[in-house]
């Protein structure tokens, strides 16, 4: 989607990572970054001794429940495979991704997917409609480990039927019966999430609002990009301290 993180790789004798962008200061120790770990994993697996100059432009909030770090690691793997001309099967690359994180394999494929298990079981969605998404983060962080420590999983299984999702209305109707089991635990830790969801739901043209992952980012789905842009402008004006981003997916 537009507005995501950006990754550039260049030939180099050394393996190095530099980070810039609006959220670069939240990255922490670069040597512990998942992008660099992905590069080392690939070299370890292939025996490659080549280097690379990797530049990460961090446009997305860090540790915000939208899989930015996993997507960055997956993109690094895909780019370095091409740069270093590695000969790897898709299954082997997915295994390398899984060793980095449960949702890295899904990010490697760069397609709409159904995910199950811990995220490693993936099934492609054959047809997927164009959608517009509004992401909001109140610039408050919630600890993923703490969310899982407070997690209570409901025994009620949503009735979710896989069907033709090429039409936006059908997809959104199916998603409305689903829930995020991490949301109640995250709300207990960070009540701000409830306000974000309420503000999103109140926007004209918002068909569905949910918390993303373990939080604290929430998303709203819109069939019209114009409606998503208007909502983004309205919310950014009312809550200037929030991170607000409209995207097309």
């Amino acid at each position: 989607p537009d507005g995501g993180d950006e990754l550039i790789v260049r030939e180099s004798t050394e393996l190095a990572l530099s980070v810039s962008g609006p959220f670069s200061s939240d990255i922490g120790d670069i040597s512990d970054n998942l992008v660099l770990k992905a590069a080392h994993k690939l070299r370890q697996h292939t025996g490659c001794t080549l280097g690379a100059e990797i530049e990460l432009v961090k446009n997305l909030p860090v540790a915000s429940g939208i899989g930015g770090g996993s997507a960055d690691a997956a993109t690094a793997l895909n780019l370095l495979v091409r740069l270093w001309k590695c000969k790897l099967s898709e299954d082997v690359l997915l295994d390398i991704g899984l060793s980095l994180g449960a949702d890295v394999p899904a990010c490697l494929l760069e397609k709409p997917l159904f995910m199950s298990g811990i995220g490693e079981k993936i099934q492609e969605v054959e047809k997927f409609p164009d959608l517009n998404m509004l992401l909001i983060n109140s610039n408050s962080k919630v600890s993923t480990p703490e969310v899982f420590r407070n997690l209570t999983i409901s025994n009620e299984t949503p009735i979710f039927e896989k069907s033709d999702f090429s039409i936006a209305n059908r997809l959104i109707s199916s998603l409305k019966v689903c829930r995020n089991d991490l949301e109640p635990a995250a709300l207990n830790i960070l009540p701000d999430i409830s306000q974000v969801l309420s503000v999103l739901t109140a926007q004209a043209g918002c068909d569905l609002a949910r918390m993303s992952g373990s939080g604290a980012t929430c998303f709203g789905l819109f069939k019209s990009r114009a409606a998503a842009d208007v909502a983004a402008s309205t919310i950014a004006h009312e809550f200037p301290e929030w991170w607000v981003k409209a995207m097309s997916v």
Side-chain angles (χ1 to χ4, degrees):
D2 52 326
D5 291 343
E6 301 169 57
L7 212 66
I8 303 165
V9 299
R10 302 181 181 90
E11 292 182 357
S12 177
T13 55
E14 303 294 328
L15 182 57
L17 171 66
S18 63
V19 184
S20 61
F23 291 98
S24 58
S25 60
D26 295 333
I27 284 290
D29 184 2
I30 286 182
S31 65
D32 196 44
N33 189 272
L34 207 55
V35 166
L36 207 52
K37 287 182 177 180
H40 284 300
K41 279 275 187 182
L42 184 61
R43 288 213 304 187
Q44 178 185 348
H45 191 91
T46 61
C48 176
T49 57
L50 298 174
E53 180 186 336
I54 308 172
E55 180 184 347
L56 170 62
V57 182
K58 194 66 187 164
N59 295 315
L60 298 175
V62 175
S64 59
I66 52 179
S70 295
D72 293 341
T75 301
L77 285 174
N78 280 329
L79 291 176
L80 290 171
V81 162
R82 294 202 289 270
L83 181 70
W84 292 338
K85 297 179 173 60
C86 301
K87 297 188 182 299
L88 292 174
S89 69
E90 184 178 274
D91 287 344
V92 170
L93 189 59
L94 291 176
D95 285 341
I96 295 173
L98 184 59
S99 72
L100 294 164
D103 49 358
V104 175
C107 296
L108 276 166
L109 295 177
E110 300 178 339
K111 299 174 181 177
L113 302 165
F114 290 113
M115 300 168 64
S116 58
I118 61 169
E120 85 288 3
K121 298 176 183 177
I122 48 185
Q123 179 185 351
E124 184 178 348
V125 181
E126 292 185 4
K127 295 179 180 179
F128 200 79
D130 293 332
L131 288 173
N132 301 283
M133 180 183 295
L134 181 56
L135 295 175
I136 300 181
N137 187 292
S138 62
N139 276 323
S140 301
K141 294 182 180 179
V142 57
S143 164
T144 298
E146 189 177 355
V147 169
F148 275 91
R149 282 195 294 270
N150 288 272
L151 175 62
T152 301
I153 298 178
S154 171
N155 291 325
E156 297 180 10
T157 302
I159 303 172
F160 181 79
E161 295 182 2
K162 296 178 183 178
S163 61
D164 177 9
F165 290 146
S166 60
I167 299 174
N169 282 338
R170 290 181 185 172
L171 173 63
I172 291 170
S173 294
S174 295
L175 292 175
K176 281 182 177 179
V177 305
C178 297
R179 63 176 183 270
N180 184 343
D181 282 327
L182 300 177
E183 188 175 306
L187 281 169
N188 286 334
I189 299 166
L190 185 65
D192 286 2
I193 295 170
S194 179
Q195 183 185 19
V196 173
L197 287 170
S198 295
V199 169
L200 260 175
T201 303
Q203 301 306 306
C206 181
D207 294 312
L208 177 74
R210 290 284 189 274
M211 187 186 82
S212 177
S214 58
T217 305
C218 298
F219 67 88
L221 295 182
F222 295 74
K223 288 189 289 291
S224 159
R225 177 60 188 259
D229 286 339
V230 168
S233 178
T234 300
I235 295 171
H237 178 75
E238 187 174 355
F239 300 95
E241 72 280 9
W242 288 6
W243 177 77
V244 180
K245 183 67 181 178
M247 296 182 174
S248 295
V249 294

